[in-house]
Amino acid sequence: MTELDSGKRMQIAERLKEARKLAGLSQSHVAKMLGLHRPSISEMEAGNRRVSADELARLAETYDVSVAWLLGEAPETLDAQDPRLELAARELSKLKPDDLERLLKLLAAMRSDSTANGGNR
Amino acid sequence: MTELDSGKRMQIAERLKEARKLAGLSQSHVAKMLGLHRPSISEMEAGNRRVSADELARLAETYDVSVAWLLGEAPETLDAQDPRLELAARELSKLKPDDLERLLKLLAAMRSDSTANGGNR
DNA sequence: GTCTGATGTAAGATTATCTTACCACGTGTC
DNA sequence: GACACGTGGTAAGATAATCTTACATCAGAC
């Protein structure tokens, strides 16, 4: 919380404000919808107040935007560059939960095994 | 916070715990990464403590899952409703080609093992 | 048994949020 | 002009959360 997060909080604050305006809502209106007081909304958008995870979800819904965008993240769409990954994913989805668990543990083991390795991507 | 939010918070809590375990990290480890104390992580995962928006973003990054999933929301990219698939796919992308081959065969074996299976998706 | 690491939880100190209130600004209306 | 109204920013004490340290339990390794 030193001041590193404050940068992120500021960014979130800006997005919240922008999203609200795009939705054509006033702070009062939003406050009522979420069951909060108006000053809370004001402080959120000023970056002086933390936004909780559940509030974030409700805000995203209210403003009709994605939480990811509110958090200042990029669109991103998992890279399915390697066709084998797609194949693997398909296989994975066919596994039973228990099997998936085992596999994930195996993967974790592989990962901690080759610590110094330099992956690829 | 009457008790309506607590439902959502509980759901988030569960996802946080699951995501951490899938990432193969301990609470202590995560606490250090985020610059928090361990009890904070423990309480977050118990649903007794709110998670701020910026913490949520950092946790999602740390666990390699989407914030949307942590919030208990629907799928995003890929056919993965289960972030474990996404996680697994990411892990797979780090493997060497040979290892990937062997893994795929192992997957096939697992699948034919559990013939009586039934449910997927 | 003993040690270590992981996790849960308690209690006082600390800090953030809530609630109410007041302020300024802009827009109409009379 | 004065007036009311909606909007948004901010202050201050009461309230509620989190933080920090500590202790406790459980599982596994030696």
Side-chain angles (χ1 to χ4, degrees):
Chain A
M1 191 224 286
T2 56
E3 288 202 9
L4 306 172
D5 303 343
S6 67
K8 195 148 213 159
R9 190 160 60 225
M10 283 314 220
Q11 190 179 16
I12 295 170
E14 288 175 19
R15 296 265 167 135
L16 281 176
K17 187 162 198 166
E18 188 176 350
R20 179 178 56 81
K21 298 206 163 181
L22 288 173
L25 299 171
S26 73
Q27 292 183 351
S28 310
H29 205 172
V30 175
K32 268 184 195 163
M33 289 186 192
L34 303 207
L36 299 174
H37 290 255
R38 190 185 55 75
S40 298
I41 308 296
S42 180
E43 301 287 1
M44 277 181 199
E45 295 182 359
N48 300 126
R49 178 154 301 169
R50 287 161 32 131
V51 183
S52 74
D54 35 2
E55 285 167 348
L56 188 75
R58 300 238 284 148
L59 285 165
E61 200 176 338
T62 302
Y63 297 154
D64 224 345
V65 299
S66 72
V67 282
W69 184 80
L70 284 182
L71 292 175
E73 294 182 359
E76 112 171 82
T77 51
L78 190 58
D79 52 334
Q81 303 167 8
D82 192 335
R84 287 175 306 178
L85 292 185
E86 217 174 308
L87 174 64
R90 236 190 294 277
E91 292 297 325
L92 289 172
S93 69
K94 294 174 187 168
L95 290 178
K96 289 197 300 185
D98 287 353
D99 289 339
L100 186 52
E101 288 299 340
R102 283 192 291 149
L103 179 65
L104 286 168
K105 288 188 179 175
L106 195 142
L107 283 168
M110 282 177 156
R111 185 173 25 159
S112 46
D113 246 3
S114 54
T115 36
N117 108 4
N120 35 21
R121 249 185 182 268
Chain B
M1 161 216 308
T2 57
E3 287 201 7
L4 306 171
D5 303 344
S6 66
K8 195 150 212 158
R9 191 162 59 226
M10 282 314 220
Q11 190 179 16
I12 295 171
E14 287 175 20
R15 297 259 166 140
L16 281 175
K17 187 161 196 166
E18 187 176 351
R20 179 178 58 79
K21 296 205 164 181
L22 289 172
L25 298 171
S26 72
Q27 292 183 350
S28 311
H29 205 172
V30 175
K32 269 185 195 165
M33 288 186 193
L34 303 206
L36 299 174
H37 288 255
R38 189 185 56 74
S40 298
I41 308 295
S42 180
E43 300 288 359
M44 277 181 200
E45 296 182 359
N48 300 124
R49 182 150 298 173
R50 286 159 38 128
V51 183
S52 74
D54 36 359
E55 286 167 347
L56 187 75
R58 300 238 285 147
L59 285 165
E61 200 176 339
T62 301
Y63 297 154
D64 233 340
V65 299
S66 72
V67 281
W69 184 81
L70 284 182
L71 292 175
E73 292 181 3
E76 204 170 304
T77 57
L78 210 55
D79 56 333
Q81 192 167 9
D82 192 336
R84 290 179 299 184
L85 295 183
E86 203 175 316
L87 177 64
R90 247 186 267 273
E91 290 298 327
L92 290 174
S93 72
K94 294 176 188 167
L95 293 178
K96 286 187 289 193
D98 288 352
D99 291 337
L100 184 52
E101 291 303 334
R102 281 190 292 148
L103 198 58
L104 286 171
K105 292 189 176 179
L106 192 140
L107 281 170
M110 277 178 157
R111 200 153 41 96
S112 43
D113 240 2
S114 52
T115 31
N117 106 17
N120 37 9
R121 297 185 127 268

